[in-house]
Amino acid sequence: EVQLVESGGDLVKPGGSLRLSCAASGFTLSDAWVTWVRQAPGKGLEWVGRIKSKASGGTMDYAAPVKGRFTISRDDSKNTLYLEMNSLKTEDTAVYYCSTGNCWGQGTLVTVSS
Amino acid sequence: QAVVTQEPSLTVSPGGTVTLTCGSSRGAVTSGHYPSWFQQKPGQAPKTLIYDTTKKHSWTPARFSGSLLGGKAALTLSGAQPEDEGDYYCLLSDGGVRVFGGGTKLTVL
């Protein structure tokens, strides 16, 4: 079964850091373009960033609000994607989803608060 | 980045037809913006309905279709069912990044 499972969400203070994981099963993550999407409480979806498949060069793109603070990486040996988040702000509070387009994880909650 | 606009809310009668649209502040939406459409129900992760303007996944009900209409991307629901109630989001490519619309809350009533 094709599946994505996010983890790592937590309560963190403003200015802090956190690393989210997105573990894939049923397919090879490096063969897919994988996107991080977030949703603040009661708000709409926001595109955060994407890593292209290895065959497409494996490059990353980021939305303006997170560029320079968030980094997407991939561990092919673990079939897992990561979202490293630094200099967190209260407005980064959201449920974070990873998605290949045809598969979505269940999301993990990040709360940035003092 | 572009601002992507959607109707905040729409209502459709059961069995009726409704079209949701997705516009861009940068001008007409084309197939080069690779429009995608997502459905989200309360407490659930989004589900991809349409990608690359018109393509469907195996789980996309036949009553949903994607198109370009009057310079916008469009999602048409023909024969609405009660289970189609929910939030619908479009996603457009804007250079190297993607941008979601604000979402449309669809009520089947």
Side-chain angles (χ1 to χ4, degrees):
Chain A
E1 182 193 3
V2 173
Q3 196 174 12
L4 292 170
V5 178
E6 302 95 336
S7 61
D10 204 348
L11 171 62
V12 62
K13 287 182 166 50
S17 298
L18 200 61
R19 189 179 79 162
L20 306 183
S21 300
C22 169
S25 57
F27 71 103
T28 301
L29 201 57
S30 60
D31 290 340
W33 292 37
V34 187
T35 299
W36 284 98
V37 173
R38 67 185 180 183
Q39 187 169 35
K43 301 296 185 184
L45 301 177
E46 182 182 13
W47 192 90
V48 172
R50 173 196 61 208
I51 183 168
K52 295 181 181 178
S53 65
K54 210 175 221 181
S56 296
T59 55
M60 292 78 77
D61 293 291
Y62 301 93
V66 308
K67 197 168 186 177
R69 299 189 298 124
F70 288 13
T71 302
I72 299 172
S73 62
R74 194 173 52 210
D75 185 334
D76 294 342
S77 68
K78 295 183 179 178
N79 211 29
T80 298
L81 194 75
Y82 301 102
L83 180 67
E84 188 79 40
M85 304 184 295
N86 297 314
S87 303
L88 282 162
K89 306 175 182 180
T90 55
E91 53 263 41
D92 295 319
T93 294
V95 173
Y96 285 72
Y97 298 99
C98 61
S99 171
T100 60
N102 61 352
C103 180
W104 287 73
Q106 83 291 347
T108 187
L109 177 62
V110 173
T111 303
V112 184
S113 174
S114 54
Chain B
Q1 67 183 31
V3 175
V4 178
T5 54
Q6 297 182 244
E7 298 85 2
S9 63
L10 289 170
T11 299
V12 62
S13 301
T17 296
V18 64
T19 296
L20 289 65
T21 67
C22 176
S24 172
S25 62
R26 294 203 191 278
V29 175
T30 69
S31 58
H33 291 96
Y34 306 101
S36 297
W37 290 92
F38 307 86
Q39 178 192 62
Q40 188 179 35
K41 297 183 181 180
Q44 296 183 17
K47 185 187 298 186
T48 308
L49 292 176
I50 301 286
Y51 64 101
D52 290 353
T53 309
T54 61
K55 296 177 181 175
K56 299 181 185 183
H57 286 291
S58 58
W59 55 80
T60 304
R63 58 185 180 272
F64 289 96
S65 63
S67 65
L68 295 175
L69 201 63
K72 297 182 178 182
L75 176 72
T76 298
L77 170 58
S78 303
Q81 300 297 310
E83 60 264 30
D84 298 328
E85 197 163 277
D87 296 324
Y88 290 80
Y89 296 91
C90 68
L91 179 70
L92 299 180
S93 176
D94 179 33
V97 300
R98 304 278 171 135
V99 183
F100 278 103
T104 296
K105 186 174 189 65
L106 182 66
T107 301
V108 180
L109 193 61

